[in-house]
Amino acid sequence: RHYYSHNEANQPRNQTTRGLERLTQRETHVVYELLQGNSNKQIGHNLSLSEYTIENHLRRIYKKFGVRSRLSLLAYIRNV
């Protein structure tokens, strides 16, 4: 079962690599925490940030990868 949209599935893999390269250090930490299965609240606690700040980071990360959800982002990154 795929959790990403048709457009997301058709994006070239090198775009994912470019997306990873364009992440800030903090965004990279947020993605790492996501890959560990942590909730926004847990990520905020682990990085000493508010849950709202984590949500803002996620919005920027989604935009960089051209995805619209946490599941889409995780599926996309895991398929790199």
Side-chain angles (χ1 to χ4, degrees):
R1 183 177 238 164
H2 298 285
Y3 295 101
Y4 43 86
S5 75
H6 177 72
N7 289 340
E8 293 164 0
N10 291 326
Q11 292 180 7
R13 291 195 187 272
N14 64 356
Q15 183 173 340
T16 302
T17 304
R18 279 184 272 146
L20 288 171
E21 291 170 356
R22 290 178 29 208
L23 294 179
T24 65
Q25 185 175 14
R26 180 63 78 187
E27 290 167 347
T28 302
H29 292 154
V30 171
V31 169
Y32 174 79
E33 293 286 336
L34 278 179
L35 290 168
Q36 302 307 307
N38 293 326
S39 68
N40 290 358
K41 187 174 186 174
Q42 291 169 320
I43 295 169
H45 175 76
N46 292 346
L47 300 179
S48 300
L49 299 170
S50 75
E51 193 171 346
Y52 180 76
T53 300
I54 298 304
E55 290 168 5
N56 283 332
H57 282 304
L58 287 172
R59 279 191 283 277
R60 286 192 297 276
I61 293 166
Y62 296 163
K63 188 173 182 178
K64 288 180 180 184
F65 284 94
V67 298
R68 297 183 193 164
S69 72
R70 176 187 216 98
L71 288 176
S72 294
L73 177 65
L74 291 173
Y76 203 72
I77 289 173
R78 287 180 175 150
N79 287 318
V80 173

